[in-house]
Amino acid sequence: MPSAVPAAPRRVALVTLGCARNEVDSEELAARLAADGFELVPDAADADAVLVNTCGFIEAAKKESIDTLLAAADLRDEGGPHAVVAVGCLAQRYGAELAAALPEADAVLGFDDYPEIGARLRGVLAGRPHVPHAPGDRRLLLPVTPVARPAVAAERAGATRPVGPASGPRVLRRRLAGGPTAPVKLASGCDRRCSFCAIPTFRGAFLSRPPEDVLAETAWLATQGVREVVLVSENSTSYGKDLGDVRLLDRLLPELAAVEGIARVRVSYLQPAETRPELLAVLAGTPGVAPYFDLSFQHASAPVLRRMRRFGSADEFLELLDRVRRLAPAAGIRSNVIVGFPGETEADLAELERFLTAARLDVVGVFGYSDEDGTAAAALDGKLDAREVAARVDRVGRLVEELTAQRAEDRVGEPLEVLVERLDADGAAEGRAAHQGPDVDGLTVLPGGAGHRVGDLVPAVVVGTEGVDLVAVPGAGGAV
């Protein structure tokens, strides 16, 4: 249990793992804690309490979360923070089970604890035991019919047990990191039933944020020096269906791009089966909106996709990519694929390789299948040996490395605009072009001596490559 803590101030450090959605959640927690009198500090060694915002998506992410909590506990035992608290997806997904398996953590808090995070943390620091939640299927907290959800969500948000970490009607956020890019949560939850994914059970049913909330947060971020916002969710192509308008994102994007101070708007997490022609046109042709297509293909063999409870095939996906490139020839396109899925044959793998070779994607994440608790895929037959899965990951990964390097080389001579994110001692700049998403894709390097500043949008021309990264020199790449 935590030792006695000085009365004031209560200092707290937040450690964020996982995706950009967790980053938003951490900044919302930071705002709640600051409003409740806590002092936010960047270093866990200087804190009275450390909150680890965990990831619970796949086995590797779970391990990283556990290792981070254990490291924080070691720091506590050496005289550092007085309390170590687990929050986030792993904490929500396992609750009491995690608390029992990890006594090194002083508390495990779920999403329902977020509105009262200050009171919860004060209780932990005072040595009062916290009873962790028993996890349940959070999809059951909202009606099955999407348009019936907003009223229920609003009612629950004012109660003691809100449905989850989605933002409220005002800007509730405090930035924990600087830089000219920031994620903005477009929605939370997911209604899809992919057989390999447990996220909907602990994130809940799909719930859009009202467009006025998204606009208000974007405008606030612009006052904090943000130049690019990245819209994130579990499924951005579903945005608006619970608000009665499946084309709501088509209208919201131009409004976001018009926010003063915002130079670029990017959308992540698009489902191929839900990507409408009208949305493609808006993404490809709206000034200030990056022609960037983060398409979740997962595989390209039709039989494997059906076992994943997904739709499509290699040829259908290639047709979709052809439509994208007809609208925006220089569009950035990224995806993720899972190899070694139960029942995946050599023919299935060859079909995936055929698709990847023809697709000319900028970035591809390659993941090996592993069973996840509570998923339908865990009960499928045809499981592959772990060594075979690893061999397939290596095989496809090497192919992807070669293909994405070739795709980068195709961009030599191409004009682009680079949002400067950092400078080195010589004044050389690193940043992202429109086809490069932050953290997950490659970057573009600009030489020193041009007086670049963080946040500048620099017209440039690609002159070289290093893997998926580009080297560019300032030039006629378009208007700032």
Side-chain angles (χ1 to χ4, degrees), residues 122-198:
R122 281 194 297 273
V124 174
L125 287 167
R128 293 193 292 272
H130 175 78
V131 179
H133 65 281
D137 189 338
R138 292 184 70 82
R139 292 172 295 190
L140 303 179
L141 296 177
L142 291 173
V144 173
T145 305
V147 293
R149 293 173 188 166
V152 174
E155 180 181 353
R156 288 182 177 273
T160 57
R161 294 183 59 80
V163 295
S167 300
R170 65 189 187 284
V171 176
L172 182 66
R173 187 163 177 177
R174 176 166 176 155
R175 295 207 76 196
L176 295 173
T181 66
V184 172
K185 193 183 296 183
L186 190 64
S188 61
C190 185
D191 288 342
R192 301 188 71 86
R193 296 294 185 267
C194 301
S195 64
F196 55 83
C197 184

Side-chain angles (χ1 to χ4, degrees), residues 50-230:
V50 178
L51 266 66
V52 179
N53 191 352
T54 60
C55 179
F57 180 37
I58 57 176
E59 197 61 37
K62 296 178 196 175
K63 183 179 184 304
E64 182 185 17
S65 295
I66 296 296
D67 288 347
T68 302
L69 286 162
L70 291 174
D74 287 343
L75 191 63
R76 175 199 60 205
D77 296 341
E78 294 168 1
H82 298 268
V84 175
V85 178
V87 297
C89 290
L90 188 72
Q92 176 62 42
R93 185 174 180 182
Y94 293 103
E97 181 183 346
L98 178 64
L102 195 71
E104 293 85 352
D106 297 298
V108 174
L109 305 182
F111 294 157
D112 292 339
D113 293 304
Y114 284 16
E116 303 297 330
I117 188 66
R120 299 288 186 272
L121 197 52
R122 281 194 297 273
V124 174
L125 287 167
R128 293 193 292 272
H130 175 78
V131 179
H133 65 281
D137 189 338
R138 292 184 70 82
R139 292 172 295 190
L140 303 179
L141 296 177
L142 291 173
V144 173
T145 305
V147 293
R149 293 173 188 166
V152 174
E155 180 181 353
R156 288 182 177 273
T160 57
R161 294 183 59 80
V163 295
S167 300
R170 65 189 187 284
V171 176
L172 182 66
R173 187 163 177 177
R174 176 166 176 155
R175 295 207 76 196
L176 295 173
T181 66
V184 172
K185 193 183 296 183
L186 190 64
S188 61
C190 185
D191 288 342
R192 301 188 71 86
R193 296 294 185 267
C194 301
S195 64
F196 55 83
C197 184
I199 289 175
T201 60
F202 58 85
R203 276 285 181 178
F206 185 87
L207 184 66
S208 301
R209 288 184 68 194
E212 56 270 23
D213 287 7
V214 180
L215 282 162
E217 186 168 314
T218 298
W220 177 80
L221 287 167
T223 69
Q224 306 298 302
V226 170
R227 297 274 278 153
E228 175 180 318
V229 294
V230 184

Side-chain angles (χ1 to χ4, degrees), residues 418-424 427-432 443-446:
V418 181
L419 179 62
V420 176
E421 295 180 346
R422 65 187 63 87
L423 303 172
D424 67 16
E430 287 184 359
R432 312 278 172 171
L443 53 83
T444 300
V445 177
L446 298 167

Side-chain angles (χ1 to χ4, degrees), residues 384-393:
L384 300 178
D385 180 86
R387 287 173 297 181
E388 176 61 24
V389 174
R392 295 187 181 196
V393 170

